[in-house]
Amino acid sequence: MLTTLKTAYTDTRASDLAWALGREPLPALAVLDLQLDDAHVQLRLLGASHQVLLEEEHGNCSETVACMPGSSTPLPLGVAKRLGDWEYEFAAHVETLSRGSFAGRAQELLALVAEHPHGLAGTFPGSPHAFTAMLAQRQQGQVRWRTWHAYPQEGRLVATRTRVGVRAAVAV
């Protein structure tokens, strides 16, 4: 699903992105609810990037990657945490592209996500290449999602990958 977000484009630097786990749902400009087997996933586009809410029999998980005033947790390159019965893994990568490469990559990602049944993308007014896109799936008993945050004025694309799954039992 592709939508135009009705808000000013204020999230203008890749370095302003922060990461947080466990935040309450924030006001969203677009939402996509998904049922992936026994997991309910809500993809949320915020005025300042994204939030994913996951509910499953083993618990809940809330991931927020956004420009959050007062946040002291910058966007990490990687995180691995235990959340109750779950293992949570997060990775981020910042890519700097030339203007022409950026435009092509932006079009490619928006087309991929817009046509995918588990995808949500929002473009910001003022630039066709300013967007946030999200794609979720269930694979091998785990819920996974990828996100892309585009900053055309910097030529930067921030990509994230998250995996949440039940911790494997340890034989004693």
Side-chain angles (χ1 to χ4, degrees):
M1 180 170 90
L2 178 62
T3 186
T4 299
L5 302 173
K6 297 183 182 6
T7 187
Y9 182 54
T10 58
D11 183 7
T12 58
R13 290 190 341 211
S15 61
D16 288 342
L17 283 176
W19 167 88
L21 274 178
R23 284 198 170 226
E24 291 296 316
L26 297 171
L29 299 172
V31 173
L32 179 63
D33 286 297
L34 301 170
Q35 194 66 40
L36 304 176
D37 295 332
D38 60 345
H40 177 76
V41 179
Q42 187 176 74
L43 303 179
R44 303 168 59 81
L45 294 178
L46 311 176
S49 289
H50 89 256
Q51 187 172 51
V52 177
L53 307 177
L54 169 63
E55 295 178 20
E56 202 177 36
E57 69 175 282
H58 298 285
N60 300 328
C61 176
S62 165
E63 173 190 278
T64 306
V65 172
C67 294
M68 296 177 276
S71 176
S72 60
T73 308
L75 189 65
L77 294 179
V79 174
K81 285 187 166 281
R82 286 189 175 169
L83 301 173
D85 290 339
W86 284 343
E87 289 182 356
Y88 169 92
E89 290 181 9
F90 171 88
H93 174 72
V94 180
E95 191 175 357
T96 303
L97 302 163
S98 69
R99 184 176 297 269
S101 295
F102 190 94
R105 184 79 171 125
Q107 290 173 343
E108 175 184 281
L109 288 169
L110 287 172
L112 168 76
V113 174
E115 298 301 320
H116 197 285
H118 301 150
L120 175 63
T123 58
F124 290 89
S127 173
H129 303 128
F131 67 90
T132 299
M134 310 169 71
L135 193 60
Q137 66 180 0
R138 179 130 185 145
Q139 185 178 23
Q140 300 171 342
Q142 301 171 341
V143 177
R144 300 167 185 239
W145 57 88
R146 296 182 66 189
T147 73
W148 298 270
H149 305 262
Y151 300 91
Q153 70 288 353
E154 291 185 315
R156 289 193 173 176
L157 184 66
V158 178
T160 73
R161 287 180 187 254
T162 301
R163 180 191 66 78
V164 179
V166 176
R167 246 187 316 168
V170 178
V172 180

